[in-house]
Coordinates of all heavy atoms in Angstrom, one line a residue:
G1 N 187.8 231.7 36.7 CA 187.6 232.1 38.0 C 188.2 231.2 39.0 O 189.2 230.6 38.8
A2 N 187.7 231.2 40.2 CA 188.2 230.5 41.3 C 188.2 229.0 41.1 O 189.1 228.3 41.5 CB 187.5 230.8 42.6
A3 N 187.1 228.5 40.4 CA 187.0 227.1 40.1 C 188.1 226.6 39.2 O 188.7 225.5 39.4 CB 185.7 226.7 39.5
A4 N 188.5 227.4 38.2 CA 189.6 227.1 37.3 C 190.9 227.0 38.0 O 191.7 226.2 37.8 CB 189.6 228.0 36.1
E5 N 191.1 228.0 38.9 CA 192.4 228.0 39.7 C 192.5 226.8 40.6 O 193.5 226.2 40.7 CB 192.4 229.3 40.5 CG 192.7 230.5 39.7 CD 192.7 231.8 40.5 OE1 192.9 231.7 41.7 OE2 192.4 232.9 39.9
A6 N 191.4 226.4 41.2 CA 191.4 225.2 42.1 C 191.7 224.0 41.3 O 192.4 223.1 41.7 CB 190.0 225.1 42.8
A7 N 191.1 223.9 40.0 CA 191.3 222.7 39.2 C 192.8 222.7 38.7 O 193.4 221.6 38.7 CB 190.4 222.8 38.0
A8 N 193.4 223.9 38.5 CA 194.8 223.9 38.0 C 195.7 223.5 39.2 O 196.7 222.8 39.0 CB 195.1 225.3 37.6
E9 N 195.3 223.9 40.4 CA 196.2 223.5 41.6 C 196.0 222.0 41.8 O 197.0 221.3 42.3 CB 195.7 224.2 42.8 CG 196.2 225.7 42.8 CD 195.7 226.5 44.0 OE1 195.6 225.9 45.1 OE2 195.6 227.7 43.9
A10 N 194.9 221.4 41.5 CA 194.7 220.0 41.8 C 195.3 219.1 40.7 O 195.6 217.9 41.0 CB 193.2 219.7 41.9
A11 N 195.5 219.6 39.5 CA 196.1 218.8 38.5 C 197.5 218.4 38.8 O 198.3 219.2 39.4 CB 196.1 219.6 37.2
P12 N 197.9 217.1 38.5 CA 199.3 216.7 38.8 C 200.3 217.5 37.9 O 199.9 217.9 36.8 CB 199.3 215.2 38.4 CG 198.2 215.0 37.5 CD 197.1 216.1 37.9
P13 N 201.5 217.7 38.4 CA 202.4 218.5 37.6 C 202.9 217.6 36.4 O 202.8 216.4 36.5 CB 203.6 218.7 38.6 CG 203.4 217.7 39.6 CD 202.0 217.3 39.7
P14 N 203.3 218.3 35.3 CA 203.8 217.5 34.2 C 205.0 216.7 34.7 O 205.7 217.1 35.6 CB 204.3 218.6 33.2 CG 203.6 219.9 33.7 CD 203.3 219.7 35.1
P15 N 205.3 215.6 34.0 CA 206.4 214.7 34.4 C 207.8 215.4 34.6 O 208.5 215.2 35.5 CB 206.5 213.7 33.3 CG 205.2 213.7 32.6 CD 204.6 215.1 32.8
A16 N 208.1 216.4 33.7 CA 209.4 217.1 33.8 C 209.5 217.9 35.1 O 210.5 217.9 35.7 CB 209.6 218.0 32.6
V17 N 208.3 218.5 35.5 CA 208.3 219.3 36.7 C 208.5 218.4 37.9 O 209.3 218.7 38.8 CB 207.0 220.1 36.8 CG1 206.9 220.8 38.1 CG2 206.9 221.1 35.6
S18 N 207.7 217.3 38.0 CA 207.9 216.4 39.1 C 209.2 215.7 39.2 O 209.8 215.5 40.3 CB 206.7 215.4 39.2 OG 206.7 214.6 38.0
E19 N 209.8 215.4 38.0 CA 211.1 214.9 38.0 C 212.2 215.9 38.5 O 213.0 215.6 39.3 CB 211.5 214.4 36.5 CG 212.8 213.7 36.4 CD 213.1 213.2 35.0 OE1 213.2 214.1 34.1 OE2 213.1 212.0 34.8
A20 N 212.0 217.1 38.0 CA 212.9 218.2 38.5 C 212.8 218.4 40.0 O 213.8 218.6 40.7 CB 212.6 219.5 37.8
A21 N 211.6 218.3 40.5 CA 211.4 218.4 42.0 C 212.0 217.3 42.7 O 212.7 217.5 43.8 CB 209.9 218.5 42.3
A22 N 212.0 216.1 42.1 CA 212.6 214.9 42.8 C 214.1 215.1 42.8 O 214.8 214.8 43.8 CB 212.2 213.6 42.0
V23 N 214.7 215.6 41.7 CA 216.1 215.9 41.6 C 216.5 216.9 42.6 O 217.5 216.8 43.3 CB 216.5 216.3 40.2 CG1 217.9 216.8 40.1 CG2 216.4 215.1 39.2
R24 N 215.7 218.0 42.7 CA 216.0 219.1 43.6 C 216.0 218.5 45.1 O 216.9 218.9 45.9 CB 215.0 220.2 43.5 CG 215.5 221.3 42.5 CD 214.7 222.6 42.7 NE 213.3 222.4 42.5 CZ 212.7 222.4 41.3 NH1 213.4 222.6 40.2 NH2 211.4 222.2 41.1
S25 N 215.1 217.7 45.4 CA 215.0 217.1 46.7 C 216.2 216.2 47.0 O 216.8 216.3 48.0 CB 213.7 216.3 46.8 OG 213.6 215.6 48.0
A26 N 216.5 215.3 46.0 CA 217.6 214.3 46.2 C 218.9 215.0 46.3 O 219.8 214.5 47.0 CB 217.6 213.3 45.1
C27 N 219.1 216.1 45.6 CA 220.4 216.7 45.4 C 220.5 218.1 46.2 O 221.4 218.9 45.9 CB 220.7 216.9 43.9 SG 220.7 215.4 43.0
A28 N 219.6 218.3 47.1 CA 219.6 219.6 47.8 C 220.9 219.9 48.5 O 221.4 221.0 48.4 CB 218.5 219.6 48.8
S29 N 221.5 218.9 49.1 CA 222.8 219.2 49.8 C 223.9 219.5 48.8 O 224.7 220.4 49.1 CB 223.2 218.1 50.8 OG 223.4 216.9 50.1
A30 N 223.9 218.9 47.7 CA 224.9 219.1 46.7 C 224.7 220.5 46.1 O 225.7 221.3 45.8 CB 224.9 218.1 45.6
M31 N 223.4 220.9 45.9 CA 223.1 222.2 45.4 C 223.6 223.3 46.4 O 224.1 224.3 46.0 CB 221.6 222.4 45.1 CG 221.2 221.6 43.9 SD 219.4 221.8 43.6 CE 219.1 220.7 42.3
E32 N 223.3 223.1 47.6 CA 223.7 224.0 48.7 C 225.2 224.2 48.7 O 225.7 225.3 48.9 CB 223.2 223.6 50.0 CG 221.7 223.8 50.1 CD 221.1 223.2 51.4 OE1 221.8 222.9 52.4 OE2 219.9 223.0 51.4
A33 N 225.9 223.1 48.6 CA 227.4 223.1 48.7 C 228.0 223.9 47.5 O 228.8 224.8 47.7 CB 228.0 221.7 48.6
L34 N 227.4 223.7 46.3 CA 227.9 224.5 45.2 C 227.5 226.0 45.3 O 228.3 226.9 45.0 CB 227.3 223.9 43.9 CG 227.8 224.6 42.6 CD1 229.3 224.7 42.5 CD2 227.2 224.0 41.4
S35 N 226.3 226.2 45.8 CA 225.8 227.6 45.9 C 226.7 228.4 46.9 O 227.1 229.5 46.7 CB 224.4 227.6 46.4 OG 223.9 228.9 46.6
A36 N 227.0 227.7 48.1 CA 227.8 228.3 49.1 C 229.2 228.6 48.6 O 229.8 229.7 48.8 CB 227.9 227.4 50.3
C37 N 229.8 227.7 47.8 CA 231.1 227.9 47.2 C 231.1 229.1 46.3 O 231.9 230.0 46.3 CB 231.5 226.6 46.5 SG 233.1 226.8 45.7
M38 N 230.1 229.2 45.4 CA 230.0 230.2 44.4 C 229.7 231.6 45.0 O 230.2 232.6 44.5 CB 229.0 229.9 43.3 CG 229.4 228.7 42.5 SD 228.3 228.1 41.3 CE 228.6 229.4 40.0
Q39 N 229.0 231.6 46.2 CA 228.7 232.9 46.8 C 230.0 233.5 47.4 O 230.2 234.7 47.5 CB 227.7 232.7 47.9 CG 226.3 232.6 47.4 CD 225.2 232.3 48.4 OE1 225.6 232.1 49.6 NE2 224.0 232.3 48.0
K40 N 230.9 232.6 47.8 CA 232.2 233.1 48.3 C 233.1 233.7 47.2 O 234.1 234.3 47.4 CB 233.0 231.9 48.9 CG 232.5 231.5 50.3 CD 233.4 230.5 51.0 CE 233.0 229.1 50.6 NZ 233.8 228.1 51.3
G41 N 232.7 233.4 45.9 CA 233.4 233.9 44.8 C 234.7 233.2 44.5 O 235.5 233.6 43.7
S42 N 234.9 232.0 45.1 CA 236.1 231.3 44.8 C 235.7 230.1 43.8 O 234.7 229.5 43.9 CB 236.6 230.7 46.1 OG 235.7 229.8 46.7
D43 N 236.6 229.9 42.9 CA 236.4 228.8 41.9 C 237.6 227.9 42.1 O 238.2 227.6 41.1 CB 236.2 229.4 40.5 CG 235.6 228.3 39.6 OD1 234.8 227.5 40.2 OD2 235.8 228.4 38.4
D44 N 237.8 227.4 43.3 CA 238.9 226.6 43.6 C 238.5 225.1 43.4 O 237.5 224.8 42.9 CB 239.4 226.8 45.0 CG 238.3 226.6 46.0 OD1 237.3 226.2 45.6 OD2 238.6 226.9 47.2
A45 N 239.4 224.2 43.8 CA 239.2 222.8 43.7 C 237.9 222.4 44.5 O 237.2 221.5 44.0 CB 240.3 222.0 44.2
G46 N 237.6 223.1 45.5 CA 236.4 222.8 46.3 C 235.1 223.0 45.5 O 234.2 222.2 45.5
C47 N 235.1 224.1 44.7 CA 234.0 224.4 43.9 C 233.9 223.4 42.8 O 232.8 222.9 42.4 CB 234.1 225.8 43.3 SG 233.6 227.1 44.4
M48 N 235.0 223.0 42.2 CA 235.0 222.0 41.1 C 234.4 220.7 41.7 O 233.6 220.0 41.0 CB 236.4 221.8 40.6 CG 236.5 221.2 39.2 SD 238.0 221.5 38.4 CE 239.1 220.3 39.3
Q49 N 234.9 220.3 42.9 CA 234.4 219.1 43.5 C 232.9 219.2 43.8 O 232.1 218.2 43.5 CB 235.1 218.8 44.8 CG 235.0 217.4 45.3 CD 236.0 217.1 46.3 OE1 236.7 217.9 46.8 NE2 236.0 215.8 46.7
A50 N 232.4 220.4 44.2 CA 231.0 220.6 44.5 C 230.2 220.5 43.2 O 229.1 219.9 43.2 CB 230.8 221.9 45.2
R51 N 230.7 221.1 42.1 CA 230.0 221.0 40.8 C 229.9 219.6 40.3 O 228.9 219.1 39.8 CB 230.8 221.9 39.8 CG 230.1 222.0 38.5 CD 230.7 223.1 37.6 NE 230.5 224.4 38.1 CZ 231.5 225.2 38.5 NH1 232.8 224.8 38.5 NH2 231.2 226.4 39.0
M52 N 231.0 218.8 40.5 CA 231.1 217.4 40.0 C 230.1 216.6 40.9 O 229.4 215.7 40.3 CB 232.5 216.9 40.1 CG 232.6 215.5 39.5 SD 234.4 215.1 39.5 CE 234.3 213.5 38.7
G53 N 230.1 216.9 42.2 CA 229.1 216.1 43.0 C 227.7 216.4 42.7 O 226.9 215.4 42.6
L54 N 227.4 217.6 42.3 CA 226.0 217.9 41.9 C 225.7 217.3 40.6 O 224.6 216.7 40.4 CB 225.8 219.5 41.8 CG 224.4 219.9 41.3 CD1 223.3 219.3 42.2 CD2 224.4 221.4 41.3
T55 N 226.6 217.3 39.6 CA 226.4 216.7 38.3 C 226.1 215.2 38.5 O 225.2 214.7 37.9 CB 227.6 216.9 37.4 OG1 227.8 218.3 37.2 CG2 227.5 216.2 36.1
M56 N 226.9 214.5 39.4 CA 226.8 213.1 39.6 C 225.4 212.8 40.3 O 224.8 211.8 40.0 CB 227.9 212.5 40.3 CG 229.2 212.4 39.5 SD 229.0 211.7 37.8 CE 228.5 210.0 38.3
C57 N 225.1 213.7 41.2 CA 223.8 213.5 41.9 C 222.6 213.5 40.9 O 221.7 212.7 40.9 CB 223.6 214.5 43.0 SG 222.1 214.3 43.9
I58 N 222.6 214.6 40.1 CA 221.6 214.7 39.0 C 221.6 213.5 38.1 O 220.6 212.9 37.8 CB 221.8 216.0 38.3 CG1 221.5 217.2 39.2 CG2 220.8 216.1 37.1 CD1 222.0 218.5 38.6
A59 N 222.8 213.1 37.7 CA 223.0 212.0 36.8 C 222.4 210.7 37.4 O 221.8 209.9 36.7 CB 224.4 211.8 36.4
Q60 N 222.6 210.5 38.7 CA 222.1 209.3 39.3 C 220.5 209.2 39.2 O 219.9 208.2 39.2 CB 222.6 209.1 40.7 CG 224.0 208.7 40.8 CD 224.7 208.9 42.1 OE1 224.2 209.7 43.0 NE2 225.8 208.3 42.3
Q61 N 219.9 210.4 39.2 CA 218.5 210.5 39.1 C 217.9 210.4 37.7 O 216.9 209.7 37.5 CB 218.0 211.9 39.7 CG 218.5 212.2 41.0 CD 218.0 211.3 42.1 OE1 216.9 210.9 42.2 NE2 219.0 210.8 42.9
V62 N 218.6 211.0 36.7 CA 218.0 211.1 35.4 C 218.9 210.5 34.3 O 218.4 210.4 33.1 CB 217.7 212.6 35.0 CG1 216.7 213.1 36.0 CG2 219.0 213.4 35.0
C63 N 220.1 210.1 34.6 CA 221.0 209.5 33.6 C 221.8 208.3 34.2 O 223.0 208.3 34.2 CB 222.1 210.6 33.2 SG 221.4 212.1 32.5
S64 N 221.0 207.4 34.7 CA 221.6 206.3 35.5 C 222.6 205.5 34.7 O 223.6 205.1 35.2 CB 220.5 205.4 36.1 OG 219.7 204.9 35.2
A65 N 222.3 205.2 33.4 CA 223.3 204.4 32.6 C 224.6 205.1 32.5 O 225.7 204.5 32.7 CB 222.7 204.2 31.2
E66 N 224.6 206.4 32.3 CA 225.9 207.2 32.1 C 226.6 207.3 33.5 O 227.8 207.1 33.6 CB 225.6 208.6 31.6 CG 225.2 208.6 30.1 CD 223.7 208.4 29.9 OE1 222.9 208.0 30.9 OE2 223.2 208.6 28.8
A67 N 225.8 207.5 34.6 CA 226.4 207.6 35.9 C 227.0 206.2 36.3 O 228.1 206.2 36.8 CB 225.3 207.9 36.9
D68 N 226.3 205.1 36.0 CA 226.9 203.8 36.3 C 228.2 203.5 35.5 O 229.1 203.0 36.1 CB 225.9 202.7 36.0 CG 224.7 202.7 37.0 OD1 224.8 203.4 38.0 OD2 223.7 202.0 36.6
L69 N 228.2 203.9 34.3 CA 229.4 203.7 33.5 C 230.6 204.5 34.1 O 231.7 204.0 34.2 CB 229.2 204.2 32.0 CG 230.4 204.1 31.1 CD1 230.8 202.6 31.0 CD2 230.1 204.7 29.7
F70 N 230.3 205.8 34.5 CA 231.4 206.6 35.1 C 231.9 205.9 36.4 O 233.1 205.8 36.6 CB 230.9 208.0 35.3 CG 231.9 208.9 36.0 CD1 233.1 209.3 35.4 CD2 231.8 209.2 37.3 CE1 234.1 210.0 36.0 CE2 232.7 210.0 38.0 CZ 233.9 210.4 37.3
H71 N 230.9 205.5 37.2 CA 231.3 204.8 38.5 C 232.1 203.6 38.2 O 233.0 203.2 39.1 CB 230.1 204.5 39.3 CG 229.5 205.7 40.0 ND1 230.2 206.4 40.9 CD2 228.3 206.3 39.9 CE1 229.5 207.4 41.4 NE2 228.3 207.4 40.8
S72 N 231.9 202.9 37.1 CA 232.6 201.7 36.8 C 234.1 201.9 36.6 O 234.9 201.0 36.7 CB 232.1 201.0 35.6 OG 232.4 201.6 34.4
Y73 N 234.5 203.2 36.4 CA 235.9 203.5 36.2 C 236.6 203.8 37.5 O 237.8 204.1 37.5 CB 236.1 204.7 35.3 CG 235.9 204.4 33.8 CD1 234.7 204.5 33.2 CD2 237.0 203.8 33.1 CE1 234.5 204.1 31.8 CE2 236.8 203.5 31.8 CZ 235.6 203.6 31.1 OH 235.4 203.3 29.8
K74 N 235.9 203.8 38.6 CA 236.5 204.2 39.9 C 237.6 203.2 40.2 O 237.4 202.0 40.2 CB 235.4 204.1 41.0 CG 235.9 204.7 42.3 CD 234.8 204.8 43.3 CE 235.3 205.5 44.6 NZ 234.2 205.8 45.5
G75 N 238.8 203.7 40.5 CA 239.9 202.9 40.8 C 240.6 202.3 39.6 O 241.6 201.6 39.7
S76 N 240.1 202.7 38.4 CA 240.7 202.2 37.1 C 241.9 203.1 36.7 O 241.9 204.3 37.1 CB 239.6 202.2 36.1 OG 240.2 202.2 34.8
A77 N 242.8 202.5 36.0 CA 243.9 203.3 35.5 C 243.6 203.9 34.1 O 244.4 204.6 33.6 CB 245.1 202.4 35.3
D78 N 242.4 203.7 33.6 CA 241.9 204.2 32.3 C 241.4 205.6 32.5 O 240.2 205.8 32.5 CB 240.9 203.2 31.7 CG 240.4 203.7 30.3 OD1 241.0 204.7 29.8 OD2 239.6 203.0 29.8
G79 N 242.3 206.6 32.6 CA 241.9 208.0 32.7 C 241.1 208.5 31.6 O 240.1 209.2 31.7
E80 N 241.5 208.1 30.3 CA 240.8 208.6 29.2 C 239.3 208.1 29.2 O 238.4 208.8 28.8 CB 241.5 208.1 27.9 CG 242.7 209.0 27.5 CD 243.3 208.6 26.2 OE1 242.5 208.0 25.3 OE2 244.5 208.7 26.0
G81 N 239.2 206.8 29.5 CA 237.8 206.2 29.6 C 237.0 206.9 30.6 O 235.8 207.2 30.4
A82 N 237.6 207.2 31.8 CA 236.8 207.9 32.8 C 236.4 209.3 32.4 O 235.3 209.8 32.6 CB 237.7 208.0 34.1
V83 N 237.3 210.0 31.7 CA 237.0 211.4 31.2 C 235.9 211.3 30.2 O 234.9 212.1 30.2 CB 238.3 212.1 30.6 CG1 237.9 213.3 29.8 CG2 239.2 212.4 31.7
A84 N 235.9 210.3 29.3 CA 234.9 210.2 28.3 C 233.6 209.8 28.9 O 232.5 210.4 28.5 CB 235.3 209.1 27.3
A85 N 233.6 209.0 30.0 CA 232.4 208.6 30.7 C 231.8 209.8 31.4 O 230.6 210.0 31.4 CB 232.6 207.5 31.7
F86 N 232.6 210.7 32.0 CA 232.1 211.9 32.7 C 231.6 212.9 31.6 O 230.6 213.5 31.9 CB 233.2 212.5 33.6 CG 232.6 213.6 34.4 CD1 231.8 213.3 35.5 CD2 232.8 214.9 34.2 CE1 231.2 214.2 36.3 CE2 232.3 215.9 35.0 CZ 231.5 215.6 36.0
D87 N 232.2 213.0 30.5 CA 231.7 213.8 29.4 C 230.3 213.4 29.0 O 229.4 214.2 28.8 CB 232.6 213.8 28.2 CG 233.9 214.6 28.4 OD1 234.0 215.4 29.4 OD2 234.8 214.4 27.6
A88 N 230.1 212.1 29.0 CA 228.7 211.5 28.6 C 227.7 211.9 29.7 O 226.6 212.2 29.4 CB 228.8 210.0 28.4
V89 N 228.2 211.8 31.0 CA 227.3 212.2 32.1 C 226.9 213.7 32.0 O 225.7 214.1 32.1 CB 228.0 212.0 33.4 CG1 227.3 212.7 34.6 CG2 228.1 210.5 33.7
E90 N 227.9 214.6 31.7 CA 227.6 216.0 31.6 C 226.7 216.3 30.4 O 225.8 217.1 30.5 CB 228.9 216.8 31.5 CG 229.7 216.8 32.8 CD 230.9 217.8 32.7 OE1 231.7 217.8 31.7 OE2 231.0 218.7 33.6
S91 N 226.9 215.6 29.3 CA 226.1 215.8 28.1 C 224.6 215.4 28.4 O 223.7 216.1 28.1 CB 226.7 215.0 27.0 OG 225.8 215.1 25.9
C92 N 224.5 214.3 29.1 CA 223.1 213.8 29.4 C 222.4 214.7 30.4 O 221.3 215.1 30.2 CB 223.2 212.4 30.0 SG 221.6 211.7 30.5
T93 N 223.1 215.2 31.5 CA 222.5 216.1 32.4 C 222.2 217.4 31.8 O 221.2 218.0 32.1 CB 223.4 216.3 33.7 OG1 224.7 216.8 33.3 CG2 223.5 215.0 34.5
A94 N 223.0 217.9 30.8 CA 222.7 219.1 30.1 C 221.4 219.0 29.3 O 220.6 219.9 29.3 CB 223.9 219.6 29.3
R95 N 221.3 217.9 28.6 CA 220.1 217.6 27.8 C 218.9 217.6 28.7 O 217.8 218.1 28.4 CB 220.2 216.3 27.0 CG 221.1 216.4 25.8 CD 220.9 215.2 24.9 NE 221.1 213.9 25.6 CZ 222.2 213.3 25.8 NH1 223.4 213.8 25.3 NH2 222.3 212.1 26.4
W96 N 219.0 216.9 29.9 CA 217.9 216.8 30.8 C 217.5 218.2 31.4 O 216.4 218.6 31.5 CB 218.2 215.9 32.0 CG 217.2 215.9 33.0 CD1 216.0 215.3 33.0 CD2 217.2 216.7 34.2 NE1 215.2 215.6 34.1 CE2 215.9 216.5 34.9 CE3 218.1 217.6 34.8 CZ2 215.6 217.1 36.1 CZ3 217.7 218.3 36.0 CH2 216.5 218.0 36.6
A97 N 218.5 219.0 31.7 CA 218.3 220.3 32.2 C 217.5 221.2 31.2 O 216.6 221.9 31.6 CB 219.6 221.0 32.6
S98 N 217.9 221.1 29.9 CA 217.2 221.8 28.9 C 215.7 221.4 28.8 O 214.8 222.2 28.7 CB 217.9 221.6 27.5 OG 219.1 222.2 27.5
R99 N 215.5 220.1 28.9 CA 214.1 219.6 28.8 C 213.3 220.1 30.1 O 212.2 220.5 30.0 CB 214.1 218.0 28.8 CG 214.4 217.5 27.4 CD 214.1 216.0 27.3 NE 214.5 215.2 28.4 CZ 215.7 214.6 28.5 NH1 216.6 214.7 27.5 NH2 216.0 213.9 29.5
A100 N 214.0 220.0 31.2 CA 213.3 220.4 32.5 C 213.0 221.9 32.5 O 212.0 222.3 33.1 CB 214.2 220.0 33.7
Q101 N 213.7 222.7 31.7 CA 213.5 224.1 31.7 C 212.5 224.5 30.6 O 212.3 225.6 30.2 CB 214.7 224.9 31.4 CG 215.7 224.8 32.6 CD 217.1 225.4 32.2 OE1 217.3 225.8 31.1 NE2 217.9 225.5 33.2
G102 N 211.9 223.4 30.0 CA 210.8 223.7 29.0 C 211.3 223.4 27.6 O 210.6 223.7 26.6
G103 N 212.5 222.9 27.4 CA 213.0 222.5 26.1 C 213.5 223.6 25.2 O 213.7 223.4 24.0
Q104 N 213.7 224.8 25.7 CA 214.0 225.9 24.8 C 215.4 225.7 24.2 O 215.7 226.1 23.1 CB 214.1 227.3 25.6 CG 212.8 227.7 26.2 CD 212.8 227.4 27.7 OE1 213.5 226.6 28.2 NE2 212.0 228.1 28.4
Q105 N 216.3 225.0 24.9 CA 217.7 224.8 24.4 C 218.0 223.4 24.0 O 219.2 223.1 23.9 CB 218.7 225.3 25.5 CG 218.4 226.7 25.9 CD 218.7 226.9 27.4 OE1 218.8 225.9 28.1 NE2 218.7 228.1 27.8
V106 N 217.0 222.6 23.8 CA 217.4 221.1 23.5 C 218.3 221.0 22.3 O 219.2 220.3 22.3 CB 216.1 220.3 23.3 CG1 216.4 218.9 22.8 CG2 215.3 220.2 24.6
E107 N 218.0 221.7 21.2 CA 218.8 221.6 20.0 C 220.2 222.1 20.3 O 221.2 221.5 19.8 CB 218.2 222.4 18.8 CG 216.9 221.8 18.3 CD 215.7 222.2 19.1 OE1 215.8 223.2 19.9 OE2 214.6 221.5 19.0
A108 N 220.4 223.2 21.0 CA 221.7 223.7 21.2 C 222.5 222.8 22.1 O 223.7 222.8 22.0 CB 221.6 225.1 21.9
A109 N 221.9 222.0 22.9 CA 222.7 221.2 23.9 C 223.2 219.9 23.2 O 224.1 219.3 23.7 CB 221.8 220.8 25.0
Q110 N 222.7 219.6 22.0 CA 223.1 218.3 21.3 C 224.3 218.5 20.5 O 224.6 219.6 20.0 CB 222.0 217.8 20.5 CG 220.8 217.3 21.3 CD 219.6 216.9 20.5 OE1 219.5 217.2 19.3 NE2 218.7 216.2 21.2

């Protein structure tokens, strides 16, 4: 009844939910930039940059080691290393997104 609903509302959200909310809050402008780009139907360099910006924003929240490694390549001539580091960032954020959505796709993301 009403008491159970009130208790459910008062309970703290599971960690994945609150973490996802923190990421949404921290990365809201990056999400809006990507959304605006995709609504225009263009998949140009601007969209790619918006997607990368959002990925890095999420990574800074939930994959800090991978994000720091990628940032360490800034200004480096090691293009292969930078690509590998960004691949690690994308892999980490994909695993996190699967967990945040309830873990339905965790195995598929690995």
